[in-house]
Each structure stands twice: as structure tokens, then as C-alpha cells.
Amino acid sequence: WGGRGPIGLVKGCWTPEWPAISQSTACGISGVKTVPESLVPGRFLSWPKPMKKKHDSLFKVGGSLLGWPGLIPALKAQIKSAGQPTLLLFGGGVMVDLLRDWDSEYRFGENASHWLAIDALDLIARAMASATPDWQLWGEPHPPVGDGVFVIAPATFCRWDASQNPAYCLPESWMATSDSIALRMATAWGIGTLTLFKSIGREVDFEDFGQESWKGLVDPVFGSLAGQPGAPRNIRAVGLMAG
């Protein structure tokens, strides 16, 4: 989430209305209509089709980069180089670090703290989309339709995933960060390439995961999520400031 260490994701108890899901119910509330196991992971119920162009690239931007003046130009260069519709998910940075401090002081509790951190990512997404008019804000549980660059506000997706995919969603743990949210989202949306932009001076391929080069780059949950069916084929960590 933030720049100093892991923070987690809590399972949600709210499910929005959309086709094929009854008026809700998750987390023990009566009247729930659950999704068959065969539909997850990597598949949603029935989303608008056809898509104009499949999004096959998700850029996760580390929260530690949010204060860097060169962030937007560097991201635009990466997007241009990718040459395809791109999804952006921003980490929490100092905003989530502040929530961690507040939790230590005021004892919000694990669940409340996790949801506050998730909602903070939505606020950051809105801010970054506002700063760059040609980027579109996206806050739905299903992948966006159309060309262009979409800044993802992940809270609705996280709540949907937690209530409908309990076998695959992130654990209710401070060990799961926004890197794991990005990986879980890429898996559920069928995205083939996940790039983690970090404050590092090198590029690291996931083929080397578990070796010294990945130490401290991702949270402890990330490796198990990468082994889920439908997880991205290409995962890498890139030092954005290194050019």
C-alpha cells in the first residue's frame, strides 16, 4: 500500500447490483445467491461485449513514486511504448502511511483500517485522473471497455472479489498490499502483463521470484496469488525513475 510496508485487504460485506447477481448479500447476510465455483477466477458473470480492444496490460505504480515530479511524463512514455490500451493502478504512498499511524494511535481495528486504505486508493485514483485529462477514471468491478488509458479506483472490485470469490480473493491481512490487489485484478480480468513500477534502479522478471533480486519488492501474499489459475503470464518490476 504505502511506502513503508505491507498493509492488507479486508473482505467486503457489500455487493452492488448488476446482471446475474441477486439483490445482495454477502458475508452472511441472508438471501445471498452465490456464484458457482466454475466461474472463478478469471471470469465475471456477464459483462458488456464485445470490447473494442482487450486490455492486456496493467501498470501498478508504487505509492513511493507519487511525490516524484517526473511521474506523469515517465508514465506517458511507458504507455506510448506499450502501444495499447493501458490500465493504471496507483499505490497508497504517504496517504496510507498516515492511516497506519492513525491506526497505531487510535486502534481502528484491522477491518476498518483495511477498508480505509482501500478507499484511500480510490481517492488517489480520482486525483491522478484529474491531473491528467486524457486519462479516464474507472471504478467498476469489471474491466473497462474501449481504447485509451484508464486509472483504476479499485474499491468496488475489491468488495466484489471478496464477496464472490472467497477462495481466490486477497486475505484479510496486513501482509497483502496494493501490489497484490493489482495481481488479483489482473488475474480476474484476464490481463496477461503486469508491470510493477518501483523506486528501484533495475528491472526484475518474475522468473527470478524468490531470489535476492525480488527481496523486499512485493508483499508476502504476492507469490501465492501469482500461482492462481489465470494469473498474468508476464510479471516484472521496473525502476521507473531509472528511465
Side-chain angles (χ1 to χ4, degrees):
W1 292 97
R4 293 183 306 197
I7 194 170
L9 169 67
V10 63
K11 293 183 179 179
C13 291
W14 170 80
T15 305
E17 296 180 39
W18 47 65
I21 296 182
S22 69
Q23 218 156 355
S24 321
T25 67
C27 303
I29 302 174
S30 63
V32 66
K33 181 182 291 185
T34 57
V35 177
E37 187 73 14
S38 61
L39 292 179
V40 291
R43 295 178 61 187
F44 284 92
L45 300 180
S46 53
W47 306 126
K49 294 183 179 181
M51 294 181 67
K52 294 179 182 178
K53 186 179 291 186
K54 175 178 171 56
H55 292 77
D56 200 44
S57 178
L58 173 60
F59 289 167
K60 162 57 181 34
V61 184
S64 61
L65 293 166
L66 289 173
W68 176 42
L71 176 60
I72 298 300
L75 284 175
K76 286 186 174 181
Q78 291 287 339
I79 291 165
K80 183 177 180 180
S81 177
Q84 61 180 339
T86 303
L87 309 180
L88 293 174
L89 176 65
F90 289 89
V94 296
M95 185 176 294
V96 171
D97 286 343
L98 178 61
L99 288 174
R100 291 170 62 86
D101 291 342
W102 285 357
D103 183 39
S104 295
E105 179 66 27
Y106 301 114
R107 305 296 180 185
F108 300 141
E110 186 174 21
N111 291 3
S113 297
H114 291 334
W115 276 121
L116 287 169
I118 293 167
D119 290 335
L121 296 186
D122 274 20
L123 179 59
I124 291 168
R126 292 199 297 272
M128 299 308 294
S130 297
T132 312
D134 55 335
W135 292 356
Q136 304 174 64
L137 182 67
W138 187 259
E140 301 296 327
H142 53 84
V145 176
D147 297 333
V149 179
F150 292 86
V151 180
I152 306 301
T156 300
F157 167 81
C158 290
R159 287 179 167 96
W160 183 90
D161 197 42
S163 64
Q164 300 299 327
N165 297 332
Y168 297 103
C169 67
L170 272 67
E172 297 179 8
S173 170
W174 290 79
M175 294 188 297
T177 71
S178 52
D179 285 342
S180 283
I181 290 180
L183 178 51
R184 177 61 199 146
M185 181 178 290
T187 300
W189 288 359
I191 294 170
T193 299
L194 173 62
T195 302
L196 307 174
F197 289 120
K198 299 280 187 177
S199 300
I200 57 176
R202 62 191 188 280
E203 178 174 335
V204 186
D205 289 326
F206 195 72
E207 293 176 356
D208 301 323
F209 189 77
Q211 300 183 19
E212 188 69 22
S213 57
W214 274 90
K215 187 175 181 180
L217 290 184
V218 292
D219 60 71
V221 177
F222 193 90
S224 61
L225 292 177
Q228 289 184 352
R233 300 176 302 278
N234 304 309
I235 302 174
R236 62 186 182 133
V238 176
L240 191 61
M241 291 189 290

